């Protein structure tokens, strides 16, 4: 079997195996993430707000430039 066939076989098997994680496992993972992030809550809020503002400005800038070029 060629290396390419082996690689495709591994990729196929890894993406088609039944998921062993349960809902309880996912909840436990989310709880651990929240517990880890709790001390950094203020920084996370500032980051999300800044990212949202940046995304809005990225969209608004071409719209405003279009209004300047085509003022109708």
């Amino acid at each position: 079997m060629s290396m390419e066939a082996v690689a495709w076989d591994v990729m196929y098997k890894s993406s088609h195996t039944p998921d062993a994680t349960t809902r309880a496992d996912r909840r436990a993972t989310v709880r651990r993430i929240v517990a880890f992030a709790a001390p950094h809550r203020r920084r996370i809020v500032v980051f999300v707000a800044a990212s949202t503002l940046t995304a809005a400005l990225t969209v608004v800038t071409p719209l405003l430039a279009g209004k300047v070029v085509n003022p109708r």
Side-chain angles (χ1 to χ4, degrees):
M1 196 183 289
S2 70
M3 290 296 288
E4 184 178 343
V6 171
W8 280 108
D9 187 51
V10 169
M11 287 190 335
Y12 177 81
K13 286 180 181 174
S14 68
S15 65
H16 288 84
T17 55
D19 192 11
T21 59
T22 64
R23 179 173 263 176
D25 291 337
R26 291 185 201 131
R27 282 190 198 142
T29 301
V30 169
R31 279 192 211 112
R32 283 198 323 266
I33 292 170
V34 169
F36 174 76
H40 309 285
R41 191 177 315 150
R42 182 174 288 147
R43 286 183 179 178
I44 293 170
V45 168
V46 169
F47 171 76
V48 170
S51 296
T52 303
L53 179 64
T54 302
L57 289 175
T58 301
V59 171
V60 169
T61 302
L63 292 175
L64 291 176
K67 295 280 186 185
V68 169
V69 173
N70 190 6
R72 284 189 229 157

